[in-house]
Amino acid sequence: MSSDLVIKASEVIKSYEGNNALDGINLEVASGQILGLIGPNGAGKSTFLQTVLGLINTEGNLEVLGLDPRKDRHKLLKDVCSITDVAVLPKWMTVDQVLTYVNGVHPGFNLQKCLSILSRTNIKRSSKIKILSRGMVVQLHLSIVMAINAKLLVLDEPTLGLDLVYRKEFYSQLIEDYYDGNKTILISTHQVEEIEGVLSDAVFMNQGRVVMQDSIESINKKFLELRPNQESVEKAQALGPLHHRTELGREVFLYEDADINELNGIGEVRPPVIADLFIAIMEKTRKEVEL
Amino acid sequence: MMTVLFTMIRREIQEHKLAFIYAPFAVALVLCLVIASVYFGITDIQTNEFNFSTEIYDEEYQEGMLLASPEAKARVIRAGLIVLGLPILLTVGFGLLAYSLSTFADERKDRSLIFWRSMPVSDLTTVLSKLLFVIFVVPLLVLPNIILLQSVAMLSASIYFVTNDIVSFGYLWTSYFITDWFRIIFSLWAQALWGLPIFLWLMFAGTYARRPLVGAAVPIVVTIVLEGIIFKTNVVLEFIENRLGFWSRADSFPVASDEIRVVDISDIFLMLSTQAFWIGMLACIILVAGIVYTRSTNNDYTVE
């Protein structure tokens, strides 16, 4: 993985009527990362992604591929692709027309590659976009994006409202056919469980701030989840878990920087799922603020 | 850059083919059928204000046709052909007003703006492509319909004249017939430039207003009313009236035009020499800047 920085954000602030949607974001994204932005509604994920794409003005310093996204948006978009909403392809166009359009305006678009990807779907080139199902429109959009030789791909809730089959297909296609280790992908979605298998890094956001940023590899080493045996619950509690919850009547403890050997002796140990870790981190942050 | 502009303009043609290809063609086709039907004796049109039938070619009229000087003959034929094309021009004129109002509003309404803006095309390039479409491309799309209509009219009339022994087949076919097409296209380009402030104002309303028609009309009405109350003048209203009319018949045009005539290319240079034209161009520059700014900053996609 290259250590070249694709995104460098320093104290990025965006205010709407006195409220900070972004409250001093500091973030560095390196080339080759598949980074998930994870957070509740209003955390500032979409606002940050729009900032990266140069769609909104912010305070602070932000560089994307060495450019200021606000000033050099159209130059930047030669190397940055995005799907920032579902089914936004112009409905009056036919599939052929939209492909011809992208081929005409995007220097990095490979029409043959796009047609090859489309040939594996049920989408006909002569079809009007308005007659395609929502899932097919997203498939078409993804096919276009995948045929663009971009350095950064920004996905903001790209599968919102799609059924499970399309969602699964979307991410498997993205990883199998698009990601080559050099491209950087930034994903924001509520369906964390669907993307955590593809992420190399995760950023937890809350109330316009970055709460935690780490690689999945490091997270899996640092955080461990324990389902203790019935008789070891008290012992597990005594080890100072970061978070505790009950799942189907069974106690589940989450530890930070715990000794795996110590935990192995008292129950079933495994890395936590991102969603559970996020809730634990949020709770920890809330308690720290209250103190 | 040229490939991008070409692609963008092709996109405009594809999106608005109903208004600028099908509608003028339909009007031209109806007019062709009516004209051919009248000359072939199938029908005629007679109202209190308008009489279009072969009955007008009575003996007195035929005598006048034979005695007319080449200049007088050409003037009447050319004026007649211009009048024939007016319904097509009016159709396209209304189409342009509707296009201007909707072109930036529709992309917000269906949220396709998000897709357009994900492409490496600047807002300025997008606006320029729409301007080129309005100024240069739409007149080019209109011209074939005018040529079709004029050709059918000339052919029908010539066949009628020769089969009824009125005049020879070649009587109507002056040397102006084809050269006037070039004058017409230049005139239409000039017309689009002349009316551009109106089109741009409507486009501007589409970039920000939730109700584009209201957004376009209310500021103008308020300005006209305030101007009347405060300054006792109606400069804004006259400006709009002038811009909605034909450029060669505007108040500011240096040569008064009392009759319907084909404009000469030199008339366009007269238009370029007027202060009114350049005031309009200044308004256009301001409006283009406004459209680019609003399109690039407005993230409100609500359009009713």
Side-chain angles (χ1 to χ4, degrees):
Chain A
M1 185 186 292
S2 162
S3 60
D4 297 344
L5 284 184
V6 173
I7 299 172
K8 192 176 173 187
S10 168
E11 291 301 319
V12 173
I13 296 171
K14 176 66 189 174
S15 297
Y16 291 110
E17 295 166 359
N19 296 319
N20 282 354
L22 298 179
D23 195 7
I25 295 281
N26 293 300
L27 187 65
E28 290 189 346
V29 181
S31 171
Q33 286 187 342
I34 304 178
L35 186 138
L37 287 182
I38 294 151
N41 285 337
K45 306 184 298 290
S46 293
T47 308
F48 181 68
L49 293 183
Q50 285 186 320
T51 306
V52 167
L53 294 169
L55 295 172
I56 49 176
N57 273 325
T58 49
E59 294 168 44
N61 294 318
L62 178 66
E63 270 185 29
V64 180
L65 297 168
L67 296 169
D68 179 338
R70 199 58 206 158
K71 285 184 192 156
D72 302 306
R73 189 177 66 82
H74 81 276
K75 205 186 284 179
L76 184 71
L77 289 179
K78 287 179 180 160
D79 289 316
V80 180
C81 278
S82 64
I83 302 180
T84 53
D85 204 341
V86 181
V88 291
L89 296 181
K91 293 176 183 58
W92 59 267
M93 275 184 151
T94 64
V95 173
D96 239 351
Q97 284 173 341
V98 80
L99 298 185
T100 311
Y101 173 82
V102 179
N103 196 37
V105 300
H106 208 306
F109 182 67
N110 184 335
L111 182 61
Q112 288 312 314
K113 187 177 177 186
C114 187
L115 292 175
S116 157
I117 298 167
L118 275 179
S119 66
R120 284 177 259 150
T121 70
N122 293 324
I123 301 168
K124 287 185 188 138
R125 289 173 63 181
S126 58
S127 299
K128 279 220 169 191
I129 289 168
K130 69 179 170 197
I131 67 150
L132 300 180
S133 71
R134 203 175 162 86
M136 286 167 118
V137 176
V138 175
Q139 251 183 339
L140 172 60
H141 202 165
L142 182 65
S143 308
I144 291 169
V145 161
M146 283 170 54
I148 292 173
N149 185 22
K151 291 176 183 158
L152 172 65
L153 173 61
V154 175
L155 302 171
D156 185 10
E157 298 289 357
T159 56
L160 193 70
L162 297 187
D163 64 31
L164 187 64
V165 177
Y166 274 121
R167 295 206 303 263
K168 288 270 181 201
E169 214 170 297
F170 181 94
Y171 290 113
S172 69
Q173 212 177 353
L174 188 72
I175 297 309
E176 284 164 25
D177 298 341
Y178 181 75
Y179 185 66
D180 61 2
N182 292 316
K183 293 184 167 85
T184 308
I185 305 177
L186 216 58
I187 312 174
S188 156
T189 176
H190 282 96
Q191 279 126 1
V192 186
E193 67 285 356
E194 284 174 14
I195 60 161
E196 68 172 299
V198 306
L199 297 182
S200 71
D201 293 77
V203 169
F204 291 172
M205 289 183 72
N206 194 28
Q207 295 180 334
R209 290 180 190 174
V210 172
V211 180
M212 191 186 95
Q213 179 187 5
D214 217 335
S215 69
I216 297 295
E217 198 182 344
S218 164
I219 286 172
N220 287 343
K221 280 183 190 160
K222 199 172 178 185
F223 296 94
L224 291 170
E225 199 174 80
L226 171 71
R227 284 151 204 270
N229 306 324
Q230 203 76 36
E231 64 282 5
S232 309
V233 172
E234 277 184 23
K235 198 175 173 187
Q237 188 77 55
L239 289 171
L242 176 70
H243 185 254
H244 163 237
R245 71 178 194 277
T246 309
E247 202 175 271
L248 297 171
R250 202 165 167 195
E251 304 297 323
V252 183
F253 295 91
L254 183 74
Y255 298 91
E256 184 177 1
D257 295 326
D259 181 353
I260 190 164
N261 295 324
E262 199 175 358
L263 298 181
N264 266 333
I266 56 174
E268 186 191 329
V269 181
R270 63 184 178 195
V273 295
I274 295 283
D276 293 335
L277 178 62
F278 175 74
I279 290 165
I281 296 288
M282 287 301 111
E283 209 158 289
K284 180 189 167 194
T285 314
R286 186 175 53 81
K287 281 178 185 164
E288 282 171 357
V289 170
E290 281 171 4
L291 284 172
Chain B
M1 180 67 179
M2 288 312 290
T3 312
V4 171
L5 271 178
F6 176 77
T7 304
M8 307 274 292
I9 289 170
R10 182 174 52 197
R11 193 208 86 168
E12 295 298 324
I13 296 171
Q14 286 167 342
E15 186 175 3
H16 301 282
K17 57 181 182 289
L18 181 67
F20 302 117
I21 295 179
Y22 297 153
F25 180 66
V27 172
L29 211 58
V30 169
L31 290 171
C32 285
L33 287 173
V34 170
I35 290 164
S37 303
V38 168
Y39 277 112
F40 292 116
I42 299 167
T43 185
D44 57 16
I45 301 166
Q46 289 191 24
T47 66
N48 290 338
E49 287 132 17
F50 187 71
N51 179 12
F52 181 38
S53 77
T54 49
E55 284 174 17
I56 61 166
Y57 301 114
D58 55 18
E59 276 183 21
E60 193 184 339
Y61 196 97
Q62 289 177 26
E63 205 173 313
M65 285 173 77
L66 291 169
L67 292 173
S69 68
E71 294 78 27
K73 186 178 81 171
R75 196 167 58 242
V76 171
I77 294 167
R78 294 171 79 194
L81 290 174
I82 289 291
V83 172
L84 269 184
L86 285 181
I88 297 175
L89 296 182
L90 284 173
T91 306
V92 173
F94 282 116
L96 274 174
L97 292 173
Y99 163 82
S100 304
L101 195 62
S102 66
T103 188
F104 288 118
D106 284 353
E107 63 177 17
R108 287 166 57 218
K109 195 173 183 176
D110 67 6
R111 300 176 72 81
S112 59
L113 176 60
I114 295 170
F115 172 70
W116 303 126
R117 295 190 71 200
S118 72
M119 292 289 125
V121 179
S122 69
D123 291 296
L124 181 61
T125 307
T126 303
V127 177
L128 284 180
S129 72
K130 288 179 190 287
L131 289 195
L132 285 174
F133 178 67
V134 167
I135 297 167
F136 291 107
V137 179
V138 171
L140 287 174
L141 296 174
V142 171
L143 190 66
N145 298 294
I146 291 175
I147 292 174
L148 170 73
L149 178 61
Q150 290 187 350
S151 303
V152 168
M154 292 282 278
L155 206 60
S156 306
S158 297
I159 291 170
Y160 174 78
F161 291 150
V162 79
T163 51
N164 288 278
D165 287 332
I166 297 171
V167 283
S168 67
F169 184 84
Y171 177 86
L172 295 173
W173 304 84
T174 67
S175 59
Y176 287 108
F177 181 60
I178 289 172
T179 55
D180 273 355
W181 295 341
F182 293 97
R183 292 189 183 87
I184 288 169
I185 195 68
F186 278 102
S187 180
L188 291 177
W189 284 336
Q191 184 64 42
L193 271 176
W194 178 248
L196 199 58
I198 302 286
F199 300 133
L200 282 172
W201 172 255
L202 295 174
M203 286 185 192
F204 178 58
T207 60
Y208 76 90
R210 290 190 168 194
R211 290 179 179 169
L213 188 58
V214 176
V218 169
I220 296 294
V221 172
V222 170
T223 309
I224 290 170
V225 171
L226 287 178
E227 186 200 340
I229 294 168
I230 299 167
F231 302 106
K232 313 281 184 218
T233 57
N234 51 3
V235 176
V236 176
L237 184 62
E238 281 174 3
F239 179 87
I240 294 167
E241 280 175 353
N242 252 313
R243 299 286 158 165
L244 287 172
F246 287 104
W247 60 273
S248 60
R249 304 174 81 81
D251 292 347
S252 51
F253 196 67
V255 179
S257 182
D258 297 328
E259 61 180 27
I260 294 172
R261 64 183 182 91
V262 180
V263 292
D264 272 316
I265 306 293
S266 59
D267 289 345
I268 294 167
F269 294 105
L270 282 178
M271 179 186 83
L272 296 178
S273 72
T274 63
Q275 199 184 25
F277 174 78
W278 292 106
I279 288 171
M281 285 299 105
L282 183 66
C284 289
I285 291 168
I286 295 167
L287 285 165
V288 166
I291 293 168
V292 169
Y293 176 77
T294 318
R295 186 178 189 264
S296 64
T297 54
N298 185 16
N299 291 318
D300 179 6
Y301 298 111
T302 316
V303 178
E304 291 167 14

